[in-house]
Amino acid sequence: MSNLEEEIIKARRKIHTESYPMSIGELKNMYDEGDLIISPNYQRLFRWKLHQKSEFIESILIGIPIPSIFVAADEDGRWELVDGLQRMSTLLEFMGVLKLENTDNSMSDEGSLKTVEASVLGKTEYLPSLEGTAWSDDIAVKSSPSGYLTDAQRRRIKRAKIDIQIVAQESDVETKYDLFRRINSNGSSLTAQEIRSVILAGVSPDLINWISSKAKNVNFVNLLNLTDTLISQKYDEELVLRFLMLSSMSDEEIMKTSDFTKALDDFSREFALNFELKKEKYDSIFEDTFEKLSAFSDIFHPWENNTRYKSRFTLSAFEAFAAGVGFCISNKIPYRDNFEDLSKEFWNDPRTSKTAGFASEARIRRAVPVGRELLRKSLD
């Protein structure tokens, strides 16, 4: 047997999947009963526009086959949605049963979650009369409908079949993680962190909640001052993980790393697998670092022409000083805390004064070691 064939056989044994079709009505019932899970943390990933939702409902009504969705079985036999979020959320929202975390006043209370007001469909190419159509007259909708689906049309949707690809609970966790990354990366419009969050939730939902809570830390929020767009794309949560990863890496590891995106994926996966063992240490490092840095509000802003700080957040300064202080705290290394002076030294250093436009790897290899060097400079 060739080495390739042995590798194929070994890899295939790590992942256990099964496939069978289910009707939309059956999936809706599973969702209602709590057996099909769409994590509230995924709410910001539900981003289809009205025309996309309308075209998907149109496809079902006229009999266009629906692509497979992927679910992961947990230890209690429930299914957590992994791939197919837009499609499944569109169906559940249109049917008036989708429940997500409350973020605005357009949702009605129901326990700790909120029921999303259902969409009223728009005009489509093959079914222009869909415009203004709602599921039924007994659900709350976002705008005034001009009509409703008939009983026969609703049955047509509920009886339509979707192929379900089930990743069994006994599958190897690391292999499952990599599978989810590949599924959600190919052709996806999601950001790297949005994909990473979906993947991590399949390994440790507690980690996802922890990351979200860290991203809301008042010192962290005030120092970064990110735009709403970046926050909606989970960039703040990526920075939480980036901080932890770089704080835990030696200078040698940083210089040897050729792909920091993959390194962050690997770090995040390892953290998820060992969350209970590591959360206390990482929590302490995170809280201590950003409380310390909060003494100088411009620490992550660029110093321009030796005259003023610009208002924008700068990743190289974040990697130098947040990860630098985190590294010192983690390793009990004394460091300077005159952050305004340190910041100006950083931006006047020829190694870091022009990091804009550098690829991630080149920028990190410059910024992180220089930040650590400056933090320890007068203490050597």
Side-chain angles (χ1 to χ4, degrees), residues 302-365:
W303 173 245
E304 184 180 49
N305 299 323
N306 289 321
T307 58
R308 67 186 180 94
Y309 280 98
K310 299 179 80 170
S311 60
R312 72 174 188 272
F313 169 79
T314 307
L315 189 53
S316 56
F318 177 86
E319 291 164 340
F321 293 115
V325 172
F327 177 79
C328 290
I329 291 175
S330 178
N331 292 279
K332 297 180 172 56
I333 298 171
Y335 61 92
R336 299 164 61 191
D337 59 4
N338 53 330
F339 295 121
E340 182 172 1
D341 294 338
L342 284 165
S343 172
K344 292 174 181 177
E345 290 177 45
F346 177 82
W347 290 112
N348 286 320
D349 192 301
R351 294 170 293 178
T352 55
S353 58
K354 295 181 179 180
T355 55
F358 278 83
S360 294
E361 288 71 25
R363 186 195 64 250
I364 291 171
R365 291 195 197 102

Side-chain angles (χ1 to χ4, degrees), residues 48-94:
W48 265 8
K49 305 297 184 185
L50 178 61
H51 73 91
Q52 294 170 294
K53 298 176 185 179
S54 301
E55 288 178 355
F56 180 59
I57 301 299
E58 174 195 54
S59 297
I60 297 170
L61 286 168
I62 65 178
I64 295 176
I66 305 169
S68 299
I69 67 173
F70 282 74
V71 297
D74 68 14
E75 59 186 8
D76 296 318
R78 296 173 299 184
W79 291 351
E80 183 159 10
L81 191 64
V82 175
D83 181 65
L85 175 71
Q86 310 299 331
R87 284 165 276 151
M88 203 65 227
S89 296
T90 291
L91 287 166
L92 295 171
E93 182 203 31
F94 182 56

